[in-house]
Amino acid sequence: EGGGPVEQPPAALGRLAAAVEETGLREPALFRFQGDAIEAKIALGQLSEVEALLAELDRLGATLGRPWVLVMACRGRALLNAARGDLGASYQELEQALTLHERLDEPFARARTLLVLGAVHRRDRKKRAARDALEGALAVFDRLGATLWSARARAELERIGADIASKQNDPR
């Protein structure tokens, strides 16, 4: 209140990316915002800007070899491909991301990848595969207490008509 206008997330993430670039620092673990920026820009239809972010992630991934950077790039490309209607390419990127997740101990990041996979399956009208991926994501988000992400997974499940009421108390 009284602090001026609130900046929209994509604009704030863009300013953050510019500030990071100005620092010259290249350690991506210090700046884990790229995945969020990619999702926000895709939601806004700013696909050419997503390509630039993905190019930077690919460069960092190739230079540093960090699995989580490679996962973020794969998931981002999957989202971009899905936004362009190329679900086959999206599945390939998600498969690679899930393989890379095996080298990480980051359940939240893996659940985000499963959420994307479930959304792509839903869009491709593969209800059973969508439900499996989304329920896997939901279980992790619930276990971690990531309520906003749980809500996103539930919303995707509802879009395929899944009965999630009985799953809400599932102790998985």
Side-chain angles (χ1 to χ4, degrees):
E1 281 186 288
V6 175
E7 192 169 9
Q8 296 299 312
L13 289 168
R15 289 185 338 111
L16 179 59
V20 168
E21 184 65 30
E22 288 175 17
T23 68
L25 294 173
R26 293 291 177 249
E27 174 50 56
L30 298 174
F31 311 104
R32 288 188 168 209
F33 63 90
Q34 296 97 331
D36 295 323
I38 287 169
E39 286 189 29
K41 289 181 181 299
I42 287 173
L44 293 171
Q46 299 171 348
L47 304 186
S48 61
E49 292 182 32
V50 170
E51 290 171 347
L53 285 170
L54 287 170
E56 177 64 12
L57 282 176
D58 286 338
R59 190 186 64 69
L60 287 171
T63 303
L64 302 173
R66 301 281 199 299
W68 75 266
V69 173
L70 300 171
V71 163
M72 225 181 336
C74 288
R75 189 170 62 224
R77 269 192 303 280
L79 287 163
L80 181 60
N81 288 327
R84 290 183 169 154
D86 189 348
L87 300 184
S90 186
Y91 285 129
Q92 289 175 346
E93 293 293 343
L94 290 164
E95 183 177 319
Q96 185 175 353
L98 289 169
T99 298
L100 288 164
H101 275 295
E102 293 172 10
R103 297 170 37 197
L104 297 173
D105 184 26
E106 296 188 17
F108 178 73
R110 185 173 188 284
R112 283 185 69 172
T113 300
L114 288 173
L115 179 62
V116 171
L117 178 62
V120 171
H121 280 309
R122 180 193 52 76
R123 184 171 170 185
D124 201 16
R125 294 187 167 105
K126 296 181 177 178
K127 290 178 77 170
R128 177 67 179 159
R131 184 173 34 253
D132 290 346
L134 294 168
E135 286 176 350
L138 177 60
V140 173
F141 293 144
D142 281 350
R143 188 180 80 238
L144 296 175
T147 56
L148 294 176
W149 288 95
S150 291
R152 285 181 69 177
R154 282 189 180 89
E156 283 291 329
L157 282 162
E158 288 172 2
R159 290 179 81 177
I160 61 169
D163 177 22
I164 58 170
S166 62
K167 303 256 180 224
Q168 290 179 343
N169 297 321
D170 191 343
R172 279 191 280 175

